[in-house]
Amino acid sequence: GNSVTQMEGPVTLSEEAFLTINCTYTATGYPSLFWYVQYPGEGLQLLLKATKADDKGSNKGFEATYRKETTSFHLEKGSVQVSDSAVYFCALKNAGKSTFGDGTTLTVKP
Amino acid sequence: DTAVSQTPKYLVTQMGNDKSIKCEQNLGHDTMYWYKQDSKKFLKIMFSYNNKELIINETVPNRFSPKSPDKAHLNLHINSLELGDSAVYFCASSRLGRENTEAFFGQGTRLTVV
């Protein structure tokens, strides 16, 4: 079956620090990969996505590259801001079915 | 214009009561979902509907019954509420059959059973 494993949180960083949140997946075939972000009190919203191997998704300074050889889709940002504090979910979609990771809570301190 | 809207946003009710949460999407999507998010932020799919037909029904007590009057609406009715039902419930939608399409989520309904 499909599964997504992401780095356990919580993660606490100082403003302007480098962020990496690891995500690995297990799936048959060729899933699409996503990162969603959930700000406090809100629903999930798409942050970025990649639909095939070696694709790089990017948005708001965040990036992730679809690595088929390592079955990974790690999220990175070069310089985080306080406003990036949120819960981040890695997810895959395969044969029409979505699978989410457990979420990683990020807190950025000024 | 809100793409996926659910009501109410907050719901506090006593054990044993029956309650409903409504969801509507104006994106023209064919697939709608209900998710449950617990206090640790874990997200678990409950139901998935394609064009008003139930596709996924994960291990959910039969006290939970989804109803889809048309493909733009997916309501969730819960009978005999229990303390353990307290959670945030999210409605979502996506296009049917397209592998690379993301889901659009509502703002969530925070259900508290006392």
mmCIF file of all heavy atoms in Angstrom, chain A residues 30-32 34 36 38 41-46 49 51 87 89 93-98 100-103 105, chain B residues 9 33 35 37 40-43 45 56 58 90 94-95 97-108:
data_model
loop_
_atom_site.group_PDB
_atom_site.id
_atom_site.type_symbol
_atom_site.label_atom_id
_atom_site.label_comp_id
_atom_site.label_asym_id
_atom_site.label_seq_id
_atom_site.Cartn_x
_atom_site.Cartn_y
_atom_site.Cartn_z
ATOM 1 N N TYR A 30 3.414 5.569 -10.152
ATOM 2 C CA TYR A 30 3.996 6.904 -10.238
ATOM 3 C C TYR A 30 3.080 7.922 -9.553
ATOM 4 O O TYR A 30 2.283 8.585 -10.205
ATOM 5 C CB TYR A 30 4.217 7.274 -11.706
ATOM 6 C CG TYR A 30 5.095 6.276 -12.417
ATOM 7 C CD1 TYR A 30 4.543 5.216 -13.150
ATOM 8 C CD2 TYR A 30 6.473 6.362 -12.321
ATOM 9 C CE1 TYR A 30 5.352 4.288 -13.778
ATOM 10 C CE2 TYR A 30 7.291 5.435 -12.940
ATOM 11 C CZ TYR A 30 6.728 4.397 -13.665
ATOM 12 O OH TYR A 30 7.526 3.472 -14.277
ATOM 13 N N PRO A 31 3.233 8.043 -8.253
ATOM 14 C CA PRO A 31 2.362 8.980 -7.535
ATOM 15 C C PRO A 31 2.755 10.424 -7.807
ATOM 16 O O PRO A 31 3.873 10.705 -8.233
ATOM 17 C CB PRO A 31 2.614 8.630 -6.069
ATOM 18 C CG PRO A 31 4.017 8.110 -6.046
ATOM 19 C CD PRO A 31 4.190 7.369 -7.348
ATOM 20 N N SER A 32 1.830 11.329 -7.555
ATOM 21 C CA SER A 32 2.152 12.751 -7.459
ATOM 22 C C SER A 32 2.422 13.058 -5.996
ATOM 23 O O SER A 32 1.853 12.423 -5.108
ATOM 24 C CB SER A 32 0.982 13.606 -7.959
ATOM 25 O OG SER A 32 0.765 13.386 -9.336
ATOM 26 N N PHE A 34 3.002 16.053 -2.832
ATOM 27 C CA PHE A 34 2.521 17.371 -2.418
ATOM 28 C C PHE A 34 3.087 17.740 -1.045
ATOM 29 O O PHE A 34 3.345 16.866 -0.209
ATOM 30 C CB PHE A 34 0.987 17.382 -2.286
ATOM 31 C CG PHE A 34 0.252 16.907 -3.504
ATOM 32 C CD1 PHE A 34 0.023 15.552 -3.708
ATOM 33 C CD2 PHE A 34 -0.224 17.808 -4.444
ATOM 34 C CE1 PHE A 34 -0.655 15.104 -4.831
ATOM 35 C CE2 PHE A 34 -0.913 17.367 -5.565
ATOM 36 C CZ PHE A 34 -1.139 16.019 -5.759
ATOM 37 N N TYR A 36 1.496 20.293 1.863
ATOM 38 C CA TYR A 36 0.416 21.178 2.285
ATOM 39 C C TYR A 36 0.861 21.904 3.555
ATOM 40 O O TYR A 36 1.639 21.368 4.350
ATOM 41 C CB TYR A 36 -0.851 20.388 2.620
ATOM 42 C CG TYR A 36 -1.568 19.806 1.424
ATOM 43 C CD1 TYR A 36 -1.188 18.568 0.897
ATOM 44 C CD2 TYR A 36 -2.638 20.466 0.838
ATOM 45 C CE1 TYR A 36 -1.857 18.022 -0.189
ATOM 46 C CE2 TYR A 36 -3.315 19.921 -0.246
ATOM 47 C CZ TYR A 36 -2.917 18.701 -0.751
ATOM 48 O OH TYR A 36 -3.582 18.160 -1.815
ATOM 49 N N GLN A 38 -0.715 24.099 6.977
ATOM 50 C CA GLN A 38 -1.896 24.424 7.774
ATOM 51 C C GLN A 38 -1.515 25.494 8.793
ATOM 52 O O GLN A 38 -0.799 25.212 9.759
ATOM 53 C CB GLN A 38 -2.437 23.185 8.490
ATOM 54 C CG GLN A 38 -3.718 23.445 9.270
ATOM 55 C CD GLN A 38 -4.232 22.211 9.988
ATOM 56 O OE1 GLN A 38 -3.485 21.270 10.273
ATOM 57 N NE2 GLN A 38 -5.515 22.202 10.291
ATOM 58 N N GLY A 41 -5.633 27.528 13.084
ATOM 59 C CA GLY A 41 -7.057 27.801 12.946
ATOM 60 C C GLY A 41 -7.600 27.710 11.534
ATOM 61 O O GLY A 41 -8.755 28.081 11.294
ATOM 62 N N GLU A 42 -6.773 27.217 10.604
ATOM 63 C CA GLU A 42 -7.225 27.148 9.211
ATOM 64 C C GLU A 42 -7.168 25.719 8.686
ATOM 65 O O GLU A 42 -6.661 24.810 9.335
ATOM 66 C CB GLU A 42 -6.344 28.041 8.331
ATOM 67 C CG GLU A 42 -6.427 29.510 8.696
ATOM 68 C CD GLU A 42 -5.617 30.375 7.737
ATOM 69 O OE1 GLU A 42 -5.179 29.878 6.689
ATOM 70 O OE2 GLU A 42 -5.434 31.559 8.073
ATOM 71 N N GLY A 43 -7.720 25.546 7.474
ATOM 72 C CA GLY A 43 -7.610 24.261 6.804
ATOM 73 C C GLY A 43 -6.280 24.136 6.091
ATOM 74 O O GLY A 43 -5.488 25.073 6.043
ATOM 75 N N LEU A 44 -6.038 22.946 5.550
ATOM 76 C CA LEU A 44 -4.810 22.728 4.787
ATOM 77 C C LEU A 44 -4.917 23.450 3.448
ATOM 78 O O LEU A 44 -5.991 23.538 2.846
ATOM 79 C CB LEU A 44 -4.588 21.238 4.518
ATOM 80 C CG LEU A 44 -4.045 20.390 5.653
ATOM 81 C CD1 LEU A 44 -5.075 20.164 6.745
ATOM 82 C CD2 LEU A 44 -3.555 19.041 5.114
ATOM 83 N N GLN A 45 -3.775 23.925 2.978
ATOM 84 C CA GLN A 45 -3.727 24.510 1.643
ATOM 85 C C GLN A 45 -2.463 24.022 0.957
ATOM 86 O O GLN A 45 -1.433 23.797 1.608
ATOM 87 C CB GLN A 45 -3.782 26.046 1.680
ATOM 88 C CG GLN A 45 -2.720 26.695 2.527
ATOM 89 C CD GLN A 45 -2.929 28.206 2.635
ATOM 90 O OE1 GLN A 45 -2.485 28.946 1.771
ATOM 91 N NE2 GLN A 45 -3.582 28.635 3.694
ATOM 92 N N LEU A 46 -2.554 23.884 -0.351
ATOM 93 C CA LEU A 46 -1.408 23.402 -1.104
ATOM 94 C C LEU A 46 -0.265 24.399 -1.027
ATOM 95 O O LEU A 46 -0.441 25.594 -1.272
ATOM 96 C CB LEU A 46 -1.801 23.183 -2.563
ATOM 97 C CG LEU A 46 -0.683 22.679 -3.462
ATOM 98 C CD1 LEU A 46 -0.336 21.233 -3.112
ATOM 99 C CD2 LEU A 46 -1.064 22.792 -4.933
ATOM 100 N N LYS A 49 3.813 21.216 -5.323
ATOM 101 C CA LYS A 49 3.609 19.838 -5.759
ATOM 102 C C LYS A 49 4.590 19.481 -6.870
ATOM 103 O O LYS A 49 5.192 20.361 -7.494
ATOM 104 C CB LYS A 49 2.174 19.640 -6.251
ATOM 105 C CG LYS A 49 1.850 20.387 -7.537
ATOM 106 C CD LYS A 49 0.405 20.140 -7.951
ATOM 107 C CE LYS A 49 0.079 20.861 -9.263
ATOM 108 N NZ LYS A 49 -1.359 20.710 -9.628
ATOM 109 N N THR A 51 4.823 16.275 -10.015
ATOM 110 C CA THR A 51 4.036 15.182 -10.581
ATOM 111 C C THR A 51 4.876 14.064 -11.179
ATOM 112 O O THR A 51 4.349 13.002 -11.482
ATOM 113 C CB THR A 51 3.074 15.700 -11.654
ATOM 114 O OG1 THR A 51 3.851 16.349 -12.669
ATOM 115 C CG2 THR A 51 2.089 16.689 -11.066
ATOM 116 N N VAL A 87 1.797 23.971 10.540
ATOM 117 C CA VAL A 87 1.988 22.519 10.445
ATOM 118 C C VAL A 87 2.115 22.168 8.965
ATOM 119 O O VAL A 87 1.302 22.625 8.142
ATOM 120 C CB VAL A 87 0.807 21.740 11.067
ATOM 121 C CG1 VAL A 87 1.076 20.234 11.004
ATOM 122 C CG2 VAL A 87 0.580 22.177 12.508
ATOM 123 N N PHE A 89 2.402 19.224 5.986
ATOM 124 C CA PHE A 89 2.037 17.841 5.679
ATOM 125 C C PHE A 89 2.599 17.456 4.320
ATOM 126 O O PHE A 89 2.360 18.142 3.325
ATOM 127 C CB PHE A 89 0.515 17.666 5.616
ATOM 128 C CG PHE A 89 -0.191 17.804 6.924
ATOM 129 C CD1 PHE A 89 -0.636 19.037 7.369
ATOM 130 C CD2 PHE A 89 -0.415 16.689 7.725
ATOM 131 C CE1 PHE A 89 -1.296 19.170 8.584
ATOM 132 C CE2 PHE A 89 -1.076 16.806 8.938
ATOM 133 C CZ PHE A 89 -1.516 18.048 9.369
ATOM 134 N N LYS A 93 -0.505 11.236 -3.966
ATOM 135 C CA LYS A 93 -1.774 10.831 -4.569
ATOM 136 C C LYS A 93 -1.453 9.778 -5.626
ATOM 137 O O LYS A 93 -0.628 9.998 -6.516
ATOM 138 C CB LYS A 93 -2.496 12.015 -5.201
ATOM 139 C CG LYS A 93 -3.953 11.724 -5.520
ATOM 140 C CD LYS A 93 -4.682 13.001 -5.878
ATOM 141 C CE LYS A 93 -6.162 12.740 -6.094
ATOM 142 N NZ LYS A 93 -6.879 13.965 -6.507
ATOM 143 N N ASN A 94 -2.104 8.625 -5.483
ATOM 144 C CA ASN A 94 -1.796 7.486 -6.324
ATOM 145 C C ASN A 94 -3.089 6.772 -6.655
ATOM 146 O O ASN A 94 -3.848 6.429 -5.748
ATOM 147 C CB ASN A 94 -0.830 6.547 -5.571
ATOM 148 C CG ASN A 94 -0.176 5.543 -6.475
ATOM 149 O OD1 ASN A 94 -0.162 5.692 -7.693
ATOM 150 N ND2 ASN A 94 0.393 4.512 -5.888
ATOM 151 N N ALA A 95 -3.358 6.570 -7.936
ATOM 152 C CA ALA A 95 -4.611 5.921 -8.357
ATOM 153 C C ALA A 95 -5.819 6.607 -7.728
ATOM 154 O O ALA A 95 -6.770 5.942 -7.311
ATOM 155 C CB ALA A 95 -4.587 4.431 -7.995
ATOM 156 N N GLY A 96 -5.765 7.908 -7.645
ATOM 157 C CA GLY A 96 -6.891 8.674 -7.144
ATOM 158 C C GLY A 96 -7.024 8.737 -5.637
ATOM 159 O O GLY A 96 -7.920 9.389 -5.117
ATOM 160 N N LYS A 97 -6.140 8.077 -4.912
ATOM 161 C CA LYS A 97 -6.249 8.063 -3.452
ATOM 162 C C LYS A 97 -5.106 8.841 -2.833
ATOM 163 O O LYS A 97 -3.952 8.654 -3.189
ATOM 164 C CB LYS A 97 -6.238 6.628 -2.938
ATOM 165 C CG LYS A 97 -6.505 6.521 -1.452
ATOM 166 C CD LYS A 97 -6.693 5.079 -1.018
ATOM 167 C CE LYS A 97 -6.961 5.013 0.477
ATOM 168 N NZ LYS A 97 -7.135 3.657 0.966
ATOM 169 N N SER A 98 -5.434 9.706 -1.867
ATOM 170 C CA SER A 98 -4.438 10.521 -1.190
ATOM 171 C C SER A 98 -4.010 9.882 0.119
ATOM 172 O O SER A 98 -4.828 9.299 0.830
ATOM 173 C CB SER A 98 -5.000 11.916 -0.899
ATOM 174 O OG SER A 98 -5.257 12.606 -2.096
ATOM 175 N N PHE A 100 -1.610 11.024 3.540
ATOM 176 C CA PHE A 100 -0.923 12.130 4.193
ATOM 177 C C PHE A 100 0.057 11.612 5.246
ATOM 178 O O PHE A 100 -0.197 10.601 5.911
ATOM 179 C CB PHE A 100 -1.936 13.049 4.889
ATOM 180 C CG PHE A 100 -2.712 13.916 3.940
ATOM 181 C CD1 PHE A 100 -3.804 13.419 3.260
ATOM 182 C CD2 PHE A 100 -2.339 15.230 3.734
ATOM 183 C CE1 PHE A 100 -4.521 14.213 2.379
ATOM 184 C CE2 PHE A 100 -3.051 16.039 2.852
ATOM 185 C CZ PHE A 100 -4.143 15.523 2.174
ATOM 186 N N GLY A 101 1.149 12.350 5.424
ATOM 187 C CA GLY A 101 2.038 12.098 6.549
ATOM 188 C C GLY A 101 1.419 12.634 7.825
ATOM 189 O O GLY A 101 0.325 13.210 7.811
ATOM 190 N N ASP A 102 2.118 12.447 8.932
ATOM 191 C CA ASP A 102 1.571 12.817 10.239
ATOM 192 C C ASP A 102 1.673 14.301 10.556
ATOM 193 O O ASP A 102 1.194 14.734 11.597
ATOM 194 C CB ASP A 102 2.284 12.016 11.336
ATOM 195 C CG ASP A 102 1.873 10.557 11.340
ATOM 196 O OD1 ASP A 102 0.820 10.233 10.746
ATOM 197 O OD2 ASP A 102 2.607 9.743 11.931
ATOM 198 N N GLY A 103 2.316 15.067 9.687
ATOM 199 C CA GLY A 103 2.441 16.497 9.928
ATOM 200 C C GLY A 103 3.654 16.829 10.787
ATOM 201 O O GLY A 103 4.025 16.064 11.685
ATOM 202 N N THR A 105 5.100 20.145 12.978
ATOM 203 C CA THR A 105 4.817 21.496 13.460
ATOM 204 C C THR A 105 6.100 22.313 13.481
ATOM 205 O O THR A 105 7.087 21.913 14.100
ATOM 206 C CB THR A 105 4.207 21.447 14.870
ATOM 207 O OG1 THR A 105 2.978 20.718 14.822
ATOM 208 C CG2 THR A 105 3.931 22.862 15.376
ATOM 209 N N LYS B 9 -18.455 26.438 12.054
ATOM 210 C CA LYS B 9 -17.021 26.417 12.309
ATOM 211 C C LYS B 9 -16.725 25.812 13.685
ATOM 212 O O LYS B 9 -15.708 25.157 13.872
ATOM 213 C CB LYS B 9 -16.449 27.829 12.224
ATOM 214 C CG LYS B 9 -14.936 27.840 12.331
ATOM 215 C CD LYS B 9 -14.323 29.148 11.879
ATOM 216 C CE LYS B 9 -12.794 29.025 11.967
ATOM 217 N NZ LYS B 9 -12.108 30.204 11.456
ATOM 218 N N TYR B 33 -14.464 14.823 0.089
ATOM 219 C CA TYR B 33 -13.939 13.997 1.168
ATOM 220 C C TYR B 33 -14.340 14.564 2.525
ATOM 221 O O TYR B 33 -14.571 15.770 2.668
ATOM 222 C CB TYR B 33 -12.396 13.991 1.145
ATOM 223 C CG TYR B 33 -11.734 13.765 -0.180
ATOM 224 C CD1 TYR B 33 -11.526 14.817 -1.072
ATOM 225 C CD2 TYR B 33 -11.267 12.500 -0.541
ATOM 226 C CE1 TYR B 33 -10.892 14.624 -2.276
ATOM 227 C CE2 TYR B 33 -10.616 12.305 -1.757
ATOM 228 C CZ TYR B 33 -10.438 13.369 -2.613
ATOM 229 O OH TYR B 33 -9.803 13.171 -3.819
ATOM 230 N N TYR B 35 -12.382 14.415 6.319
ATOM 231 C CA TYR B 35 -11.207 14.024 7.091
ATOM 232 C C TYR B 35 -11.449 14.369 8.548
ATOM 233 O O TYR B 35 -12.144 15.340 8.869
ATOM 234 C CB TYR B 35 -9.960 14.794 6.632
ATOM 235 C CG TYR B 35 -9.372 14.349 5.323
ATOM 236 C CD1 TYR B 35 -9.811 14.888 4.115
ATOM 237 C CD2 TYR B 35 -8.343 13.407 5.281
ATOM 238 C CE1 TYR B 35 -9.260 14.493 2.912
ATOM 239 C CE2 TYR B 35 -7.777 13.011 4.079
ATOM 240 C CZ TYR B 35 -8.247 13.553 2.902
ATOM 241 O OH TYR B 35 -7.699 13.164 1.706
ATOM 242 N N GLN B 37 -9.230 15.324 12.009
ATOM 243 C CA GLN B 37 -7.907 15.675 12.539
ATOM 244 C C GLN B 37 -7.962 15.677 14.061
ATOM 245 O O GLN B 37 -8.752 16.417 14.654
ATOM 246 C CB GLN B 37 -7.460 17.048 12.021
ATOM 247 C CG GLN B 37 -6.027 17.396 12.438
ATOM 248 C CD GLN B 37 -5.536 18.696 11.841
ATOM 249 O OE1 GLN B 37 -6.219 19.706 11.851
ATOM 250 N NE2 GLN B 37 -4.329 18.677 11.289
ATOM 251 N N LYS B 40 -3.413 15.751 17.987
ATOM 252 C CA LYS B 40 -2.000 15.713 17.598
ATOM 253 C C LYS B 40 -1.800 16.115 16.137
ATOM 254 O O LYS B 40 -0.704 15.983 15.601
ATOM 255 C CB LYS B 40 -1.426 14.308 17.827
ATOM 256 C CG LYS B 40 -1.395 13.912 19.286
ATOM 257 C CD LYS B 40 -0.741 12.559 19.468
ATOM 258 C CE LYS B 40 -0.685 12.192 20.943
ATOM 259 N NZ LYS B 40 -0.098 10.860 21.175
ATOM 260 N N LYS B 41 -2.846 16.581 15.508
ATOM 261 C CA LYS B 41 -2.817 17.055 14.115
ATOM 262 C C LYS B 41 -2.783 15.922 13.096
ATOM 263 O O LYS B 41 -2.612 16.180 11.910
ATOM 264 C CB LYS B 41 -1.638 18.007 13.843
ATOM 265 C CG LYS B 41 -1.615 19.206 14.762
ATOM 266 C CD LYS B 41 -2.805 20.105 14.522
ATOM 267 C CE LYS B 41 -2.687 21.377 15.345
ATOM 268 N NZ LYS B 41 -3.879 22.236 15.203
ATOM 269 N N PHE B 42 -2.909 14.661 13.553
ATOM 270 C CA PHE B 42 -2.946 13.564 12.587
ATOM 271 C C PHE B 42 -4.232 13.669 11.759
ATOM 272 O O PHE B 42 -5.313 13.885 12.304
ATOM 273 C CB PHE B 42 -2.903 12.211 13.287
ATOM 274 C CG PHE B 42 -1.640 11.951 14.050
ATOM 275 C CD1 PHE B 42 -1.647 11.099 15.148
ATOM 276 C CD2 PHE B 42 -0.442 12.545 13.693
ATOM 277 C CE1 PHE B 42 -0.482 10.856 15.861
ATOM 278 C CE2 PHE B 42 0.723 12.311 14.400
ATOM 279 C CZ PHE B 42 0.700 11.463 15.487
ATOM 280 N N LEU B 43 -4.079 13.473 10.454
ATOM 281 C CA LEU B 43 -5.201 13.616 9.534
ATOM 282 C C LEU B 43 -5.594 12.230 9.051
ATOM 283 O O LEU B 43 -4.769 11.475 8.562
ATOM 284 C CB LEU B 43 -4.742 14.467 8.354
ATOM 285 C CG LEU B 43 -5.780 15.184 7.524
ATOM 286 C CD1 LEU B 43 -6.539 16.196 8.343
ATOM 287 C CD2 LEU B 43 -5.104 15.874 6.357
ATOM 288 N N ILE B 45 -8.487 10.063 6.704
ATOM 289 C CA ILE B 45 -9.629 10.136 5.809
ATOM 290 C C ILE B 45 -10.761 9.292 6.362
ATOM 291 O O ILE B 45 -10.545 8.211 6.916
ATOM 292 C CB ILE B 45 -9.270 9.703 4.373
ATOM 293 C CG1 ILE B 45 -10.450 10.018 3.436
ATOM 294 C CG2 ILE B 45 -8.889 8.231 4.320
ATOM 295 C CD1 ILE B 45 -10.116 10.022 1.986
ATOM 296 N N ILE B 56 -14.773 5.649 -0.899
ATOM 297 C CA ILE B 56 -13.945 5.214 0.213
ATOM 298 C C ILE B 56 -14.732 5.365 1.495
ATOM 299 O O ILE B 56 -15.321 6.399 1.749
ATOM 300 C CB ILE B 56 -12.649 6.057 0.317
ATOM 301 C CG1 ILE B 56 -11.770 5.825 -0.896
ATOM 302 C CG2 ILE B 56 -11.888 5.722 1.608
ATOM 303 C CD1 ILE B 56 -10.566 6.750 -0.954
ATOM 304 N N GLU B 58 -13.511 4.460 5.136
ATOM 305 C CA GLU B 58 -12.507 3.882 6.012
ATOM 306 C C GLU B 58 -13.184 3.373 7.278
ATOM 307 O O GLU B 58 -14.402 3.485 7.439
ATOM 308 C CB GLU B 58 -11.446 4.934 6.348
ATOM 309 C CG GLU B 58 -10.626 5.359 5.143
ATOM 310 C CD GLU B 58 -9.757 4.261 4.578
ATOM 311 O OE1 GLU B 58 -9.237 3.454 5.359
ATOM 312 O OE2 GLU B 58 -9.597 4.200 3.338
ATOM 313 N N PHE B 90 -12.596 18.126 8.581
ATOM 314 C CA PHE B 90 -12.357 18.892 7.362
ATOM 315 C C PHE B 90 -13.051 18.255 6.182
ATOM 316 O O PHE B 90 -12.956 17.040 5.961
ATOM 317 C CB PHE B 90 -10.857 18.970 7.048
ATOM 318 C CG PHE B 90 -10.089 19.869 7.957
ATOM 319 C CD1 PHE B 90 -9.339 19.345 8.991
ATOM 320 C CD2 PHE B 90 -10.112 21.243 7.769
ATOM 321 C CE1 PHE B 90 -8.619 20.174 9.834
ATOM 322 C CE2 PHE B 90 -9.400 22.085 8.613
ATOM 323 C CZ PHE B 90 -8.656 21.548 9.640
ATOM 324 N N SER B 94 -11.625 17.600 -4.841
ATOM 325 C CA SER B 94 -10.600 17.593 -5.883
ATOM 326 C C SER B 94 -11.245 17.158 -7.189
ATOM 327 O O SER B 94 -12.376 16.657 -7.208
ATOM 328 C CB SER B 94 -9.445 16.655 -5.530
ATOM 329 O OG SER B 94 -9.871 15.307 -5.524
ATOM 330 N N ARG B 95 -10.520 17.342 -8.280
ATOM 331 C CA ARG B 95 -11.027 16.880 -9.558
ATOM 332 C C ARG B 95 -10.937 15.367 -9.636
ATOM 333 O O ARG B 95 -10.038 14.753 -9.064
ATOM 334 C CB ARG B 95 -10.238 17.525 -10.700
ATOM 335 C CG ARG B 95 -10.723 18.930 -11.017
ATOM 336 C CD ARG B 95 -10.010 19.489 -12.213
ATOM 337 N NE ARG B 95 -8.638 19.861 -11.887
ATOM 338 C CZ ARG B 95 -7.756 20.246 -12.791
ATOM 339 N NH1 ARG B 95 -8.077 20.282 -14.064
ATOM 340 N NH2 ARG B 95 -6.541 20.595 -12.428
ATOM 341 N N GLY B 97 -10.190 11.718 -11.032
ATOM 342 C CA GLY B 97 -9.389 10.946 -11.969
ATOM 343 C C GLY B 97 -8.139 11.617 -12.480
ATOM 344 O O GLY B 97 -7.516 11.126 -13.394
ATOM 345 N N ARG B 98 -7.751 12.729 -11.903
ATOM 346 C CA ARG B 98 -6.547 13.412 -12.367
ATOM 347 C C ARG B 98 -5.464 13.227 -11.297
ATOM 348 O O ARG B 98 -5.531 13.751 -10.214
ATOM 349 C CB ARG B 98 -6.824 14.902 -12.573
ATOM 350 C CG ARG B 98 -7.886 15.180 -13.613
ATOM 351 C CD ARG B 98 -7.358 14.982 -15.014
ATOM 352 N NE ARG B 98 -6.304 15.905 -15.340
ATOM 353 C CZ ARG B 98 -6.524 17.114 -15.837
ATOM 354 N NH1 ARG B 98 -7.766 17.530 -16.021
ATOM 355 N NH2 ARG B 98 -5.515 17.892 -16.127
ATOM 356 N N GLU B 99 -4.436 12.503 -11.607
ATOM 357 C CA GLU B 99 -3.449 12.132 -10.614
ATOM 358 C C GLU B 99 -2.747 13.314 -9.972
ATOM 359 O O GLU B 99 -2.331 13.256 -8.831
ATOM 360 C CB GLU B 99 -2.402 11.212 -11.242
ATOM 361 C CG GLU B 99 -2.931 9.846 -11.608
ATOM 362 C CD GLU B 99 -3.438 9.080 -10.411
ATOM 363 O OE1 GLU B 99 -2.916 9.290 -9.298
ATOM 364 O OE2 GLU B 99 -4.378 8.288 -10.574
ATOM 365 N N ASN B 100 -2.567 14.369 -10.714
ATOM 366 C CA ASN B 100 -1.729 15.438 -10.181
ATOM 367 C C ASN B 100 -2.515 16.589 -9.582
ATOM 368 O O ASN B 100 -1.968 17.664 -9.398
ATOM 369 C CB ASN B 100 -0.816 15.976 -11.283
ATOM 370 C CG ASN B 100 -1.622 16.543 -12.452
ATOM 371 O OD1 ASN B 100 -2.827 16.315 -12.522
ATOM 372 N ND2 ASN B 100 -0.971 17.225 -13.344
ATOM 373 N N THR B 101 -3.756 16.374 -9.303
ATOM 374 C CA THR B 101 -4.545 17.477 -8.761
ATOM 375 C C THR B 101 -4.588 17.429 -7.244
ATOM 376 O O THR B 101 -4.756 16.384 -6.639
ATOM 377 C CB THR B 101 -5.972 17.468 -9.305
ATOM 378 O OG1 THR B 101 -6.572 16.206 -9.013
ATOM 379 C CG2 THR B 101 -5.986 17.710 -10.790
ATOM 380 N N GLU B 102 -4.445 18.595 -6.679
ATOM 381 C CA GLU B 102 -4.437 18.705 -5.234
ATOM 382 C C GLU B 102 -5.856 18.755 -4.695
ATOM 383 O O GLU B 102 -6.819 18.946 -5.423
ATOM 384 C CB GLU B 102 -3.688 19.968 -4.801
ATOM 385 C CG GLU B 102 -4.359 21.276 -5.207
ATOM 386 C CD GLU B 102 -3.942 21.747 -6.586
ATOM 387 O OE1 GLU B 102 -3.546 20.905 -7.422
ATOM 388 O OE2 GLU B 102 -4.032 22.966 -6.825
ATOM 389 N N ALA B 103 -5.953 18.602 -3.408
ATOM 390 C CA ALA B 103 -7.233 18.738 -2.717
ATOM 391 C C ALA B 103 -7.358 20.155 -2.180
ATOM 392 O O ALA B 103 -6.371 20.782 -1.799
ATOM 393 C CB ALA B 103 -7.331 17.730 -1.575
ATOM 394 N N PHE B 104 -8.589 20.656 -2.181
ATOM 395 C CA PHE B 104 -8.902 21.957 -1.599
ATOM 396 C C PHE B 104 -9.693 21.700 -0.323
ATOM 397 O O PHE B 104 -10.697 20.987 -0.355
ATOM 398 C CB PHE B 104 -9.727 22.796 -2.576
ATOM 399 C CG PHE B 104 -8.952 23.249 -3.779
ATOM 400 C CD1 PHE B 104 -8.672 22.364 -4.815
ATOM 401 C CD2 PHE B 104 -8.488 24.547 -3.884
ATOM 402 C CE1 PHE B 104 -7.951 22.767 -5.927
ATOM 403 C CE2 PHE B 104 -7.785 24.966 -5.001
ATOM 404 C CZ PHE B 104 -7.512 24.070 -6.016
ATOM 405 N N PHE B 105 -9.243 22.295 0.762
ATOM 406 C CA PHE B 105 -9.839 22.029 2.064
ATOM 407 C C PHE B 105 -10.700 23.191 2.541
ATOM 408 O O PHE B 105 -10.404 24.360 2.257
ATOM 409 C CB PHE B 105 -8.751 21.787 3.109
ATOM 410 C CG PHE B 105 -8.112 20.441 3.013
ATOM 411 C CD1 PHE B 105 -7.155 20.165 2.042
ATOM 412 C CD2 PHE B 105 -8.464 19.416 3.891
ATOM 413 C CE1 PHE B 105 -6.565 18.911 1.944
ATOM 414 C CE2 PHE B 105 -7.876 18.168 3.797
ATOM 415 C CZ PHE B 105 -6.935 17.912 2.825
ATOM 416 N N GLY B 106 -11.731 22.848 3.296
ATOM 417 C CA GLY B 106 -12.495 23.854 4.007
ATOM 418 C C GLY B 106 -11.740 24.310 5.252
ATOM 419 O O GLY B 106 -10.652 23.813 5.550
ATOM 420 N N GLN B 107 -12.352 25.228 5.984
ATOM 421 C CA GLN B 107 -11.699 25.811 7.160
ATOM 422 C C GLN B 107 -11.771 24.906 8.379
ATOM 423 O O GLN B 107 -11.098 25.162 9.375
ATOM 424 C CB GLN B 107 -12.367 27.146 7.515
ATOM 425 C CG GLN B 107 -12.118 28.216 6.488
ATOM 426 C CD GLN B 107 -10.910 29.060 6.830
ATOM 427 O OE1 GLN B 107 -9.964 28.602 7.472
ATOM 428 N NE2 GLN B 107 -10.914 30.300 6.406
ATOM 429 N N GLY B 108 -12.589 23.879 8.290
ATOM 430 C CA GLY B 108 -12.673 22.944 9.407
ATOM 431 C C GLY B 108 -13.841 23.262 10.343
ATOM 432 O O GLY B 108 -14.284 24.406 10.449
#
